Amino acid sequence: MMASLLEHMGMEKDRVQFSWISSAEATKFATVAREVAQSVEALGPNTKFVKGSD
Amino acid sequence: MESYTEQIRTLAVDLLKSGKVDVVIGYRKGSVPMATVPFMARTPEQAKQLTWDSHCTLNLANYLTNRQEKIGIIAKGCDSRNIVNHIVENKINRDQLHIIGVPCKGMVNPKELQALLDDKIVSYSESGSTLTIASSQAEIKIEREDHLRDNCSLCTHRNPVIYDDLVGEVVTEPVLDDPFKDVNAIEAMDTDTKWNYFDDLLDGCIRCYACRNACPLCYCPTCFVDESDPQWVGKGQNETDIKTFHFLRAFHCAGRCTDCGACEAACPMDIHVRAFTRKLIKDSKELFGWEAGLDISKRPPLDTFAPDDPNDFIK
């Protein structure tokens, strides 16, 4: 619901992501981290909810 | 509605006289036309000041938090749902309460009424569903139904969900074709338009926290905006801080908000604060099939875990 409200308020959907990764799931962690980094890079620098940017 | 006032007074006087309650929380007339103020009647004499009209907009459940005495409280649909919230969240005991339920016909928006006349409204009265407003120059009669507050026109729980006495007859609950039209309209915008919409919405915010203070859900001893160690959010008029306050305050109400509209009634800058909470109400309903404050035996969805909780957002 929090992600949904943020999206509703105009945050890009991919900026906030959730995942559940066990300490034994190193591969999953690496994959998810890479995906998150890629999707955030695609969005470019964040200017929303950043003080001084407005 | 005049008969409501009479019945409320009679019930309140009886409750106080018999010693069943120590105080009756209700409304009395405010100092200007079209205003009521929350009022705590402690003696049968004071109870005769209690009133009821189409301007009982604040939520009385707000005055129950952590009280120790026995309380009589006047409750329209939304107040009663917030009383349920309070009981579920252990902020008051059901045994302490004597709830005088009032089937609600909707409260009107005083600003809309004022806009109908050029000069300041100096007198107001109502008879049945007809309201009479008058300035020094003119007098007009209007229908309550045409000037309901936004949240009242979207309300589907006008009857109290919990009560010990009921004033008047149960009213028919409206059925809405499209209860979340307003939320859908924002959802249809693109990302930046949404962001700008909320920027414009909060343009006038002066951080007076009237919305928070009027809200029966906001009972934290120290609100996150008042904390100084750690200081979660800046205290000035910075746009980011203002938006953070409204975003987080709304989220604290997720799955608990009854859309009573006290926040908007209290806002001196006429900000549509409910734009935030409305989205959460819609999500609660769609994700959890949940409407807040209807059942004293159920805890709010974000307070519980169920194996079938929606978890599509987790990768």
Side-chain angles (χ1 to χ4, degrees):
Chain A
M1 267 169 98
M2 179 141 157
S4 160
L5 180 59
L6 275 169
E7 196 189 333
H8 192 64
M9 287 173 63
M11 289 295 285
E12 296 86 351
K13 190 172 186 292
D14 282 345
R15 273 213 206 274
V16 187
Q17 301 186 29
F18 297 80
S19 188
W20 185 270
I21 307 169
S22 148
S23 57
E25 295 176 310
T27 332
K28 185 179 175 192
F29 179 79
T31 315
V32 171
R34 239 177 259 125
E35 281 170 17
V36 171
Q38 271 167 12
S39 55
V40 174
E41 267 170 26
L43 289 169
N46 178 38
T47 54
K48 292 164 184 169
F49 275 121
V50 179
K51 257 177 136 171
S53 69
D54 38 39
Chain B
M1 287 227 176
E2 306 83 58
S3 64
Y4 276 21
T5 300
E6 284 312 313
Q7 287 184 56
I8 287 169
R9 285 181 188 170
T10 314
L11 285 166
V13 167
D14 287 349
L15 284 173
L16 286 163
K17 265 192 185 152
S18 66
K20 267 193 192 161
V21 301
D22 303 314
V23 59
V24 175
I25 307 181
Y27 301 93
R28 72 171 167 190
K29 285 244 176 295
S31 50
V32 291
M34 306 193 295
T36 61
V37 288
F39 177 54
M40 299 213 175
R42 293 186 183 275
T43 63
E45 270 311 300
Q46 288 177 341
K48 288 174 190 157
Q49 295 179 46
L50 290 169
T51 186
W52 187 268
D53 64 11
S54 301
H55 295 281
C56 298
T57 49
L58 287 179
N59 193 321
L60 297 178
N62 198 19
Y63 303 95
L64 290 179
T65 314
N66 295 336
R67 284 196 165 271
Q68 302 299 318
E69 68 265 62
K70 286 186 185 158
I71 303 164
I73 182 164
I74 318 291
K76 51 189 184 296
C78 47
D79 301 51
S80 76
R81 292 172 65 195
N82 278 102
I83 293 171
V84 169
N85 272 341
H86 256 63
I87 298 169
V88 169
E89 295 173 5
N90 296 321
K91 289 286 119 192
I92 194 84
N93 264 322
R94 177 67 182 98
D95 308 341
Q96 276 172 271
L97 297 177
H98 188 98
I99 303 167
I100 304 174
V102 184
C104 180
K105 292 168 184 164
M107 295 294 149
V108 298
N109 181 347
K111 278 143 197 160
E112 214 176 291
L113 300 196
Q114 179 59 66
L116 297 172
L117 293 175
D118 295 332
D119 300 295
K120 205 165 170 53
I121 292 175
V122 290
S123 86
Y124 168 86
S125 63
E126 57 184 79
S127 163
S129 64
T130 309
L131 321 176
T132 310
I133 50 171
S135 69
S136 53
Q137 307 295 321
E139 181 180 293
I140 53 171
K141 285 188 190 299
I142 46 177
E143 286 303 303
R144 181 194 302 118
E145 280 296 316
D146 301 335
H147 299 279
L148 290 184
R149 295 191 297 167
D150 184 48
N151 62 313
C152 294
S153 63
L154 295 168
C155 175
T156 53
H157 295 283
R158 293 182 168 196
N159 294 303
V161 295
I162 182 174
Y163 56 84
D164 299 299
D165 285 313
L166 193 66
V167 168
E169 299 288 317
V170 168
V171 295
T172 322
E173 299 287 6
V175 181
L176 304 174
D177 299 334
D178 189 5
F180 295 108
K181 210 166 141 188
D182 50 337
V183 186
N184 296 338
I186 301 176
E187 279 173 2
M189 298 175 186
D190 67 41
T191 305
D192 287 330
T193 318
K194 284 178 189 169
W195 185 258
N196 293 332
Y197 172 82
F198 283 99
D199 258 354
D200 294 342
L201 188 86
L202 297 176
D203 201 26
C205 181
I206 55 171
R207 296 284 292 273
C208 67
Y209 302 140
C211 47
R212 175 199 69 183
N213 293 354
C215 180
L217 303 173
C218 282
Y219 55 63
C220 290
T222 308
C223 177
F224 73 99
V225 291
D226 295 327
E227 291 263 12
S228 55
D229 187 20
Q231 186 180 313
W232 303 107
V233 55
K235 295 175 189 297
Q237 287 298 104
N238 178 286
E239 278 178 36
T240 304
D241 289 334
I242 292 178
K243 210 177 239 180
T244 305
F245 160 61
H246 283 281
F247 161 59
L248 279 178
R249 194 196 84 81
F251 190 66
H252 289 174
C253 303
R256 303 163 69 221
C257 179
T258 60
D259 210 15
C260 72
C263 46
E264 288 194 358
C267 181
M269 306 305 285
D270 293 340
I271 294 170
H272 176 40
V273 194
R274 286 171 44 252
F276 296 90
T277 47
R278 292 277 302 155
K279 167 68 176 165
L280 294 164
I281 291 171
K282 184 183 174 208
D283 280 357
S284 299
K285 194 154 187 190
E286 287 180 355
L287 295 172
F288 300 97
W290 172 262
E291 285 181 284
L294 296 184
D295 190 338
I296 200 168
S297 65
K298 286 187 186 147
R299 297 200 64 87
L302 296 197
D303 196 30
T304 47
F305 169 75
D308 59 347
D309 278 346
N311 58 2
D312 309 336
F313 66 99
I314 296 178
K315 281 193 178 179

